């Protein structure tokens, strides 16, 4: 694997959003505050013992002056740390909450997938809940009943259609909820990270549907902590912090701002300098999987070397950066990893080319190749993860374990003494 510093910055990537598409979501100075009691009086006895006590409240500002717009057919990401206001904003968009001030306009039929079990009655069966939720999402009663079979087939719950939802597991519940949303034929899909509770196979099925709807022009708003999802899927993204809009625009820049918030170190230098902010400003320019002849491919045969050709651009100065490669399987397990370091100082705007062969011990299956960029420095490293590409390893060998190892162990009989 070679690490080469490049001087040519090359052309910049164009904005993937179509500017002529109409605006279907418009938020103007949206604000939301919750009044949280500082003490609770839950029983009549407590009220009788303290008849003149007054409940104190404190205000929690969940959103403050948030404005943005989303165009038709756009995949829009919302990122932020826990408690930043992401879910509150999504619930306002879904009309679950009402904003205290400002305006939220939604143009089109909305299908929310925000919290597990929202809109379901646990005392009703899956059949009854499917019809009820289909009507709530805009379908007619007849249409909701007609699509019941497709919902149950997608959720793989045909055998549990007459079972009450209170007896469903969390996995069964999330499959049913997503299947109902898929059948709603919505113009706008609102998705929170609740999909994380599903198993790996169903999560992949959901992602396939997500890609199909996105390619068909459905507007998608997704809340996530996964910056790989933001950079790979979203046309634009926004970052919320403490209820305020910090950044909106390019998904990669949104991811970098998110990493800054998460990895900022609350320390000061000897002279009382401001807290250090990690440098995560690395951008993937291009990455390709090549065959032995140098042609770009998506799949390789088992045992064939993995040939990587990638270019990474530094937005800030990187001192002796290290590049950590992770090869992961479909379940997210890191099968193997290795590190390469460039013993030079990379200036802002300069590019580093990473190319070469990786031995391929992988068994047949789908894998992902990630590169984590680290800047070598005395007080800790700033890390930024980049998804280079995915690949499929094909072959006829049995799929046992995660790698095939070369050994010289041979069975033999020992002579009797």
């Amino acid at each position: 694997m070679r690490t080469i510093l490049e001087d040519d910055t090359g052309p910049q990537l164009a904005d993937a959003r179509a500017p002529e598409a109409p605006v279907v979501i418009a938020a103007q100075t949206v604000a939301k505050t919750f009044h949280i009691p500082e003490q609770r009086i839950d029983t009549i006895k407590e009220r009788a013992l303290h008849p003149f006590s007054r409940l104190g409240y404190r205000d929690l500002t969940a959103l403050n002056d948030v404005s943005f717009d989303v165009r038709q057919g756009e995949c829009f990401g919302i990122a932020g740390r826990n408690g930043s206001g992401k879910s509150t904003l999504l619930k306002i968009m879904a009309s679950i909450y009402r904003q205290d001030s400002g305006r939220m306009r939604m143009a089109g039929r909305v299908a929310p997938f925000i919290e597990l079990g929202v809109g379901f009655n646990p005392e009703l069966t899956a059949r009854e809940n499917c019809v009820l939720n289909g009507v709530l999402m805009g379908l007619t009663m007849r249409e909701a009943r007609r699509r019941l079979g497709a919902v149950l087939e997608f959720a793989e719950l045909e055998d549990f259609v007459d079972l009450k939802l209170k007896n469903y597991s969390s996995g069964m519940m999330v499959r049913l909820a997503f299947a109902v949303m898929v059948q709603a034929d919505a113009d706008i899909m609102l998705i929170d990270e609740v999909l994380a509770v599903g198993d790996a196979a169903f999560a992949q099925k959901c992602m396939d549907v997500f890609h199909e709807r996105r390619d068909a022009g459905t507007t998608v708003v997704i809340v996530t902590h996964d910056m790989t999802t933001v950079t790979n899927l979203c046309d634009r993204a926004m970052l919320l912090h403490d209820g305020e809009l910090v950044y909106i625009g390019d998904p990669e820049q949104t991811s970098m701002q998110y990493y800054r918030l998460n990895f900022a170190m609350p320390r000061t230098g000897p002279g009382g300098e401001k807290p250090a902010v990690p440098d995560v400003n690395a951008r993937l320019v291009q990455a390709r999987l090549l065959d032995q002849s140098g042609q770009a491919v998506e799949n390789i045969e088992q045992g064939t070397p993995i040939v990587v050709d990638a270019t990474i651009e530094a937005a800030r100065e990187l001192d002796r950066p290290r590049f950590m490669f992770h090869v992961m399987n479909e379940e997210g397990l890191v099968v193997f990893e290795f590190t390469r370091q460039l013993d030079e100082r990379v200036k802002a705007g300069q590019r580093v080319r990473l190319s070469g062969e990786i031995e391929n011990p992988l068994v047949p299956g789908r894998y992902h190749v990630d590169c984590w960029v680290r800047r070598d420095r005395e007080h800790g490293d700033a890390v930024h993860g980049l998804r280079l590409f995915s690949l499929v390893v094909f072959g006829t060998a049995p799929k046992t374990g995660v790698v095939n190892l070369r050994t010289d162990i041979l069975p033999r009989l020992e002579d009797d003494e």
Side-chain angles (χ1 to χ4, degrees):
M1 176 66 66
R2 294 175 296 170
T3 307
I4 304 173
L5 183 64
E6 295 187 348
D7 295 325
D8 184 16
T9 58
Q12 299 297 314
L13 296 177
D15 188 354
R17 181 179 59 157
E20 67 278 1
V23 174
V24 294
I25 302 176
Q28 299 176 356
T29 63
V30 172
K32 180 67 177 179
T33 300
F34 294 98
H35 301 286
I36 302 176
E38 295 180 342
Q39 60 185 9
R40 298 178 58 182
I41 298 180
D42 297 327
T43 65
I44 298 177
K45 180 180 179 181
E46 290 177 338
R47 172 55 68 187
L49 293 175
H50 307 282
F52 302 107
S53 63
R54 293 184 177 181
L55 292 178
Y57 291 87
R58 62 182 178 89
D59 289 340
L60 175 63
T61 301
L63 295 171
N64 182 28
D65 195 24
V66 175
S67 300
F68 65 96
D69 62 68
V70 181
R71 296 186 178 273
Q72 183 179 359
E74 187 176 20
C75 180
F76 188 81
I78 303 177
R81 303 178 67 184
N82 291 333
S84 61
K86 306 184 303 298
S87 296
T88 299
L89 179 60
L90 211 63
K91 289 176 181 178
I92 291 176
M93 298 167 67
S95 298
I96 297 174
Y97 289 163
R98 184 180 183 87
Q99 67 272 16
D100 296 333
S101 62
R103 182 183 180 187
M104 177 69 72
R105 184 177 67 87
M106 308 288 292
R109 180 184 295 173
V110 179
F113 192 64
I114 297 176
E115 289 185 4
L116 183 61
V118 169
F120 282 155
N121 186 336
E123 295 298 330
L124 299 180
T125 65
R127 183 192 307 275
E128 294 166 334
N129 272 286
C130 287
V131 175
L132 176 61
N133 274 263
V135 172
L136 292 176
M137 289 187 180
L139 299 178
T140 64
M141 180 70 74
R142 178 178 296 179
E143 188 66 16
R145 288 173 176 168
R146 190 180 67 83
R147 299 191 182 191
L148 176 63
V151 170
L152 296 174
E153 180 181 1
F154 184 91
E156 302 172 5
L157 295 172
E158 295 96 332
D159 296 335
F160 306 96
V161 62
D162 292 315
L163 184 67
K164 290 185 177 181
L165 255 61
K166 65 180 181 181
N167 298 316
Y168 270 33
S169 67
S170 60
M172 296 167 69
M173 188 85 74
V174 74
R175 281 151 53 187
L176 184 65
F178 190 86
V180 171
M181 185 190 68
V182 168
Q183 291 297 323
D185 290 338
D187 304 306
I188 302 173
M189 296 174 64
L190 306 178
I191 303 178
D192 207 341
E193 285 189 309
V194 68
L195 287 179
V197 303
D199 55 40
F202 187 76
Q204 183 60 50
K205 181 188 290 190
C206 294
M207 287 303 298
D208 293 340
V209 172
F210 173 80
H211 284 289
E212 291 175 2
R213 294 300 173 88
R214 180 173 179 264
D215 295 340
T218 301
T219 305
V220 179
V221 178
I222 181 168
V223 166
T224 181
H225 288 282
D226 183 9
M227 293 302 103
T228 301
T229 300
V230 172
T231 54
N232 290 350
L233 299 180
C234 296
D235 300 313
R236 284 191 308 145
M238 63 185 290
L239 178 65
L240 294 176
H241 183 60
D242 290 339
E244 296 185 350
L245 178 59
V246 176
Y247 177 84
I248 183 170
D250 181 71
E252 291 182 354
Q253 291 296 326
T254 303
S255 300
M256 289 186 278
Q257 296 280 355
Y258 174 83
Y259 282 120
R260 287 194 183 99
L261 290 176
N262 278 270
F263 290 102
M265 304 175 186
R267 65 172 185 269
T268 58
E273 297 89 352
K274 294 181 179 180
V277 178
D279 177 9
V280 294
N281 287 348
R283 184 177 72 87
L284 180 64
V285 178
Q286 66 89 22
R288 299 183 300 166
L289 171 66
L290 306 179
D291 60 16
Q292 295 293 289
S293 63
Q295 299 296 318
V297 295
E298 296 182 357
N299 311 317
I300 58 174
E301 187 176 350
Q302 186 178 16
T304 303
I306 302 172
V307 183
V308 176
D309 180 23
T311 303
I312 295 174
E313 180 181 279
R316 286 189 174 187
E317 186 177 87
L318 302 178
D319 182 19
R320 301 176 66 244
R322 286 182 288 168
F323 303 91
M324 299 171 292
F325 289 82
H326 288 180
V327 177
M328 300 187 303
N329 63 11
E330 195 75 325
E331 287 73 35
L333 173 68
V334 178
V335 180
F336 62 86
E337 63 180 60
F338 61 92
T339 301
R340 294 293 182 267
Q341 183 160 355
L342 180 64
D343 291 324
E344 298 183 46
R345 188 179 296 273
V346 183
K347 299 179 181 179
Q350 282 190 299
R351 294 182 174 183
V352 178
R353 187 172 184 181
L354 305 163
S355 61
E357 292 187 358
I358 305 173
E359 182 183 356
N360 177 17
L362 303 172
V363 300
R366 178 175 290 278
Y367 299 89
H368 309 287
V369 180
D370 293 349
C371 179
W372 292 81
V373 183
R374 279 194 165 200
R375 182 179 69 175
D376 192 19
R377 60 185 182 183
E378 182 179 357
H379 298 293
D381 293 339
V383 185
H384 186 196
L386 300 170
R387 171 64 51 86
L388 298 185
F389 51 76
S390 301
L391 71 150
V392 172
V393 176
F394 61 90
T396 58
K399 187 175 180 180
T400 304
V402 291
V403 295
N404 285 322
L405 299 179
R406 298 175 182 176
T407 71
D408 59 358
I409 299 177
L410 296 175
R412 63 184 178 87
L413 289 175
E414 289 189 350
D415 296 333
D416 295 332
E417 295 182 356

